[in-house]
């Protein structure tokens, strides 16, 4: 599909990113899917014939991307948008954002680029989740994509077509506002690449009335060293292909140890002769299809007894080799060493709390910058489409990988009891909320204390701050 879209854009005199990065996307996709034709299929010559074998694989490319998605956009990520939050939750829920957003991060880290795309369908706000081979930049400034085409495959009148959605600045010569974005819809034949008539219920050009793009690009926060001038990102394992091969080579050897090291019993030729049955049928003494018993060649001594062949399996050496390969791969993909542990249950992800000085934490914080900005801009776009005005939002990521939640609670309780921290500050840290929300929570705690007869100082030692602050009702009016 990508070749057809790129060719169509070239024919229409559009300039897009070079083919160099798109060529690598196909390779990254093969590793993500777990089967690379030129690597996982190999031939072996046994002296008389050649046989094709499939290499065993650990599938670590997908595992790495899954982990990055879980580190960046999991169920504990908090999105706050003030009074608009309830409506925002409805829109995000209708678009299955918690699930599809996590999946978008995963595929974006696999293929190098992903995007949120927003538009309005009647009264519904739609969020599309685009992967790299659906994204074709038209213009970019300092690495930020400002105009872009998004392509998807659709069936129209029983025929496969490519739907292209152009997000571009207005063209003054055509009477459009050059400071606002327009969405242009086109359909292309998937086989010939010729442009088709758009359906009657689809507008050719839609004015958004918005001065910002209705799309947000997500990439791993690493530089594209394949094409330095491309606005597209690269896969998180783009520079770790050799390490992925190493993991699969050692694992393949490990599995073949068990295949080749199966117990075998050599049977002398005299014991492998046919025996006449009562019904006149002749049958071998042992089953020739049994993979345990093997007939000795004719030149062997006929008086040999059954001989057991039981090869030792180098399990320990292979497990150490796989662990070393996993450590190097994890380091190259930004997760530091020790992220993955290979044991009797397979590859496990280490779950211990990590240090804020570790490679994983620092890279996670670096990558969170791009994801946070994309989500905030997505919320602004969604609120504009919904209400005609932007709202400000905050995104708080899950820090439980750095410090256990129970540890955070215990620490703040001890600080409050020692008089070294206010209750307000403790609630703000524990609940990841604003000062205003913490005050409301303290007020609710105080009210519950009055009902039960408990004496609770809800101000948390901040009485003087409370005197200077407006009442809760006044804040709501503002």
């Amino acid at each position: 599909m990508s070749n057809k879209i790129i060719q169509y854009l070239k024919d229409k005199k559009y300039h897009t990113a070079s083919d160099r990065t798109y060529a690598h996307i196909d390779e990254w996709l093969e590793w993500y899917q777990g089967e690379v034709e030129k690597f996982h299929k190999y031939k072996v010559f046994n002296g008389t014939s050649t046989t094709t074998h499939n290499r065993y694989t650990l599938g670590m490319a997908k595992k790495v991307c899954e982990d990055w998605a879980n580190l960046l956009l999991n169920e504990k990520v908090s999105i706050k948008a003030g009074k608009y939050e309830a409506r925002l939750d409805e829109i995000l829920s209708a678009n299955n954002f918690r699930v599809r957003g996590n999946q978008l991060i995963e595929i974006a880290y696999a293929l190098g680029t992903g995007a949120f795309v927003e538009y309005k369908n009647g009264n519904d706000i739609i969020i599309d989740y685009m992967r790299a081979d659906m994204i074709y930049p038209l213009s970019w400034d300092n690495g930020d994509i400002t105009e872009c085409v998004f392509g998807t495959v659709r069936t129209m009148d029983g025929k496969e077509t490519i739907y292209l959605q152009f997000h571009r600045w207005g063209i003054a010569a055509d009477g459009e506002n050059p400071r606002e974005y327009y969405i242009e819809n086109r359909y292309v034949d998937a086989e010939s690449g010729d442009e088709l008539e758009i359906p009657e219920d689809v507008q050719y050009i839609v004015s958004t009335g918005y001065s910002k793009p209705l799309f947000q690009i997500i990439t791993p926060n690493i530089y594209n060293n394949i094409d330095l001038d491309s606005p597209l990102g690269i896969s998180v394992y783009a520079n770790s292909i050799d390490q992925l091969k190493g993991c699969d080579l050692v694992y393949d050897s490990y599995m073949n140890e068990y295949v080749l090291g199966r117990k075998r019993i050599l049977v002398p030729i005299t014991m492998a002769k046919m025996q006449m049955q009562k019904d006149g049928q002749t049958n071998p003494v042992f089953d020739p299809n049994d993979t345990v018993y093997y007939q000795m060649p004719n030149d062997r001594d006929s008086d040999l007894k059954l001989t057991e062949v039981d090869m030792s399996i180098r399990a320990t050496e292979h497990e150490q080799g796989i662990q070393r390969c996993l450590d190097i791969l994890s380091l190259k993909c930004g997760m530091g060493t020790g992220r993955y542990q290979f044991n009797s249950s397979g590859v496990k992800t280490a779950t211990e709390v990590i240090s804020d000085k570790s490679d994983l934490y620092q890279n996670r914080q670096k990558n969170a910058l791009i994801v946070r900005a994309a989500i905030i801009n997505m919320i602004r776009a969604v609120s504009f489409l919904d209400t005609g005005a932007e709202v400000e939002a905050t995104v708080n990521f899950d820090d439980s990988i750095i410090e256990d939640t129970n540890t955070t609670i215990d620490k703040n309780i001890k600080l409050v009891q020692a008089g070294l921290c206010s209750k307000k500050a403790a609630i703000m840290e524990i609940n990841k909320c604003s000062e205003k929300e913490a005050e409301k929570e303290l007020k609710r705690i105080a009210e519950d204390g009055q009902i039960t007869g408990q004496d609770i100082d809800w101000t948390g030692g901040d009485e003087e701050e409370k005197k200077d602050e407006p009442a809760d009702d006044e804040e709501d009016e503002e």
Side-chain angles (χ1 to χ4, degrees), residues 373-390:
I375 294 176
I376 290 175
N377 289 330
M378 179 199 71
I379 293 171
R380 290 171 179 167
V382 163
S383 62
F384 179 83
L385 290 173
D386 187 39
T387 66
E390 290 183 347

Side-chain angles (χ1 to χ4, degrees), residues 35-53:
E35 185 174 346
V36 181
E37 180 76 20
K38 61 184 180 182
F39 177 75
H40 287 105
K41 290 187 181 296
Y42 63 98
K43 296 181 178 180
V44 175
F45 181 68
N46 61 9
T48 58
S49 62
T50 301
T51 56
T52 301
H53 296 265

Side-chain angles (χ1 to χ4, degrees), residues 73-111:
L73 192 56
N74 55 38
E75 74 284 355
K76 295 182 181 179
V77 172
S78 172
I79 301 176
K80 302 291 184 181
K83 295 180 179 178
Y84 187 70
E85 190 171 325
R87 172 58 179 159
L88 176 63
D89 287 342
E90 291 180 8
I91 297 174
L92 296 182
S93 178
N95 286 277
N96 201 15
F97 174 78
R98 291 288 180 176
V99 174
R100 299 287 286 118
N102 179 276
Q103 294 174 351
L104 177 68
I105 301 292
E106 180 181 328
I107 196 67
Y109 273 60
L111 306 185

Side-chain angles (χ1 to χ4, degrees), residues 7 44 80 100 120 173 175 193 249-250 275 287 329 380 396 403 423 444-445 466-467:
Q7 187 59 50
V44 175
K80 302 291 184 181
R100 299 287 286 118
K120 197 168 185 179
L249 279 171
V250 180
Q275 186 177 36
D287 184 0
L329 174 66
R380 290 171 179 167
N396 293 310
E403 187 175 58
K423 294 179 181 178
R444 284 191 288 267
I445 293 173
K466 178 64 181 174
K467 294 177 182 178

Side-chain angles (χ1 to χ4, degrees), residues 43-297:
K43 296 181 178 180
V44 175
F45 181 68
N46 61 9
T48 58
S49 62
T50 301
T51 56
T52 301
H53 296 265
N54 292 323
R55 198 182 305 280
Y56 291 97
T57 175
L58 278 173
M60 288 306 300
K62 182 171 180 8
K63 177 62 176 173
V64 167
C65 297
E66 288 176 2
D67 278 6
W68 269 119
N70 293 336
L71 286 169
L72 291 168
L73 192 56
N74 55 38
E75 74 284 355
K76 295 182 181 179
V77 172
S78 172
I79 301 176
K80 302 291 184 181
K83 295 180 179 178
Y84 187 70
E85 190 171 325
R87 172 58 179 159
L88 176 63
D89 287 342
E90 291 180 8
I91 297 174
L92 296 182
S93 178
N95 286 277
N96 201 15
F97 174 78
R98 291 288 180 176
V99 174
R100 299 287 286 118
N102 179 276
Q103 294 174 351
L104 177 68
I105 301 292
E106 180 181 328
I107 196 67
Y109 273 60
L111 306 185
T113 310
F116 297 115
V117 181
E118 304 84 34
Y119 61 93
K120 197 168 185 179
N121 184 15
N123 294 324
D124 297 328
I125 309 300
I126 307 299
I127 303 174
D128 280 343
Y129 307 88
M130 298 291 182
R131 62 177 187 263
D133 56 344
M134 297 180 177
I135 301 171
Y136 301 87
L138 297 180
S139 63
W140 51 93
D141 181 20
N142 198 25
D144 294 329
I145 299 175
T146 54
E147 295 177 298
C148 195
V149 177
F150 301 96
T152 55
V153 177
R154 293 187 178 181
T155 300
M156 189 168 63
D157 297 330
K159 190 175 183 180
E160 188 177 83
T161 61
I162 302 173
Y163 167 56
L164 298 178
Q165 191 179 83
F166 288 68
H167 288 246
R168 59 170 178 80
W169 288 108
I171 303 173
D174 294 340
E176 298 173 349
N177 187 341
R179 296 183 178 180
E180 293 180 355
Y181 274 87
Y182 290 76
I183 297 178
E184 193 171 313
N185 299 302
R186 301 188 190 183
Y187 285 79
V188 177
D189 189 288
E191 293 183 4
S192 65
D194 298 331
E195 187 169 348
L196 304 173
E197 292 290 333
I198 64 174
E200 295 181 358
D201 58 343
V202 176
Q203 296 185 49
Y204 182 63
I205 297 177
V206 178
S207 172
T208 67
Y210 194 42
S211 61
K212 298 176 183 178
L214 293 177
F215 62 86
Q216 299 78 38
I217 302 296
I218 291 177
T219 66
N221 197 356
I222 51 179
Y223 205 84
N224 185 343
N225 62 332
I226 294 172
D227 186 354
L228 301 183
D229 297 321
S230 175
L232 297 172
I234 60 172
S235 171
V236 73
Y237 51 78
N239 293 285
S240 306
I241 300 299
D242 286 344
Q243 284 69 44
L244 290 172
K245 291 180 178 179
C247 288
D248 287 354
L249 279 171
V250 180
Y251 183 65
D252 180 65
S253 176
Y254 184 48
M255 296 303 293
N256 279 319
E257 284 279 312
Y258 288 92
V259 174
L260 300 175
R262 290 178 302 181
K263 180 181 290 188
R264 292 168 171 83
I265 298 176
L266 299 180
V267 182
I269 189 65
T270 56
M271 301 182 66
K273 292 180 178 180
M274 306 298 287
Q275 186 177 36
M276 181 72 70
Q277 303 295 323
K278 291 181 179 180
D279 58 2
Q281 298 293 326
T282 56
N283 293 303
V285 175
F286 70 95
D287 184 0
N289 296 318
D290 197 319
T291 57
V292 174
Y293 295 93
Y294 292 83
Q295 178 181 316
M296 288 183 181

Side-chain angles (χ1 to χ4, degrees), residues 5 62 66 69 88 108 164 229 340 342 356 363 411:
I5 296 176
K62 182 171 180 8
E66 288 176 2
L88 176 63
L164 298 178
D229 297 321
Y340 300 107
F342 185 81
D356 59 2
N363 285 312
K411 180 190 73 174

Side-chain angles (χ1 to χ4, degrees), residues 377-441:
N377 289 330
M378 179 199 71
I379 293 171
R380 290 171 179 167
V382 163
S383 62
F384 179 83
L385 290 173
D386 187 39
T387 66
E390 290 183 347
V391 300
E392 292 301 321
T394 59
V395 178
N396 293 310
F397 291 93
D398 174 26
D399 287 332
S400 61
I401 61 169
I402 311 304
E403 187 175 58
D404 182 68
T405 304
N406 291 330
T407 303
T408 302
I409 295 173
D410 291 341
K411 180 190 73 174
N412 280 281
I413 290 176
K414 291 177 181 178
L415 289 174
V416 171
Q417 291 174 343
L420 300 175
C421 175
S422 69
K423 294 179 181 178
K424 184 195 300 182
I427 290 178
M428 289 173 63
E429 183 177 357
I430 293 172
N431 294 343
K432 306 295 182 185
C433 62
S434 66
E435 184 175 353
K436 179 180 176 181
E437 291 170 329
E439 289 175 353
K440 291 182 178 180
E441 183 64 25

